[in-house]
Amino acid sequence: FAPFPQAFPALHLVLLDAQQRVITSRIFTANDYLQDEDKQRLFIAAQQEIEIRLDFDSSELNALGYRLLLFYP
């Protein structure tokens, strides 16, 4: 929790194979991961959490690991 409002970060999801090599990656913006009722919000309020959910099918990629990086473009 931060004691101040924060902008929504972008999320960089990287899927990895068994040798930790990159299979694929994608950047998600707040518009991709926020629930419909939260999309009008401009910030994460001070002392608040948000729930992030991303649904996708990676079964054909055989990914065995991932990295998730938050950043502000």
Side-chain angles (χ1 to χ4, degrees):
F1 297 111
F4 50 85
Q6 297 181 76
F8 291 102
L11 308 174
H12 184 200
L13 176 64
V14 180
L15 299 180
L16 306 168
D17 67 11
Q19 287 75 39
Q20 299 296 299
R21 293 181 300 220
V22 174
I23 297 172
T24 190
S25 69
R26 181 171 169 191
I27 294 174
F28 296 93
T29 65
N31 207 34
D32 296 319
Y33 64 75
L34 288 176
Q35 305 297 317
D36 288 337
E37 61 271 12
D38 292 327
K39 287 189 178 183
Q40 75 280 357
R41 294 172 54 186
L42 298 177
F43 296 96
I44 303 169
Q47 302 297 323
Q48 296 294 309
E49 292 181 346
I50 61 165
E51 182 176 323
I52 294 176
R53 180 177 174 156
L54 294 169
D55 294 318
F56 56 90
D57 180 4
S58 63
S59 60
E60 293 183 23
L61 298 175
N62 296 318
L64 296 175
Y66 70 93
R67 290 187 200 125
L68 182 64
L69 308 167
L70 284 64
F71 71 98
Y72 294 91

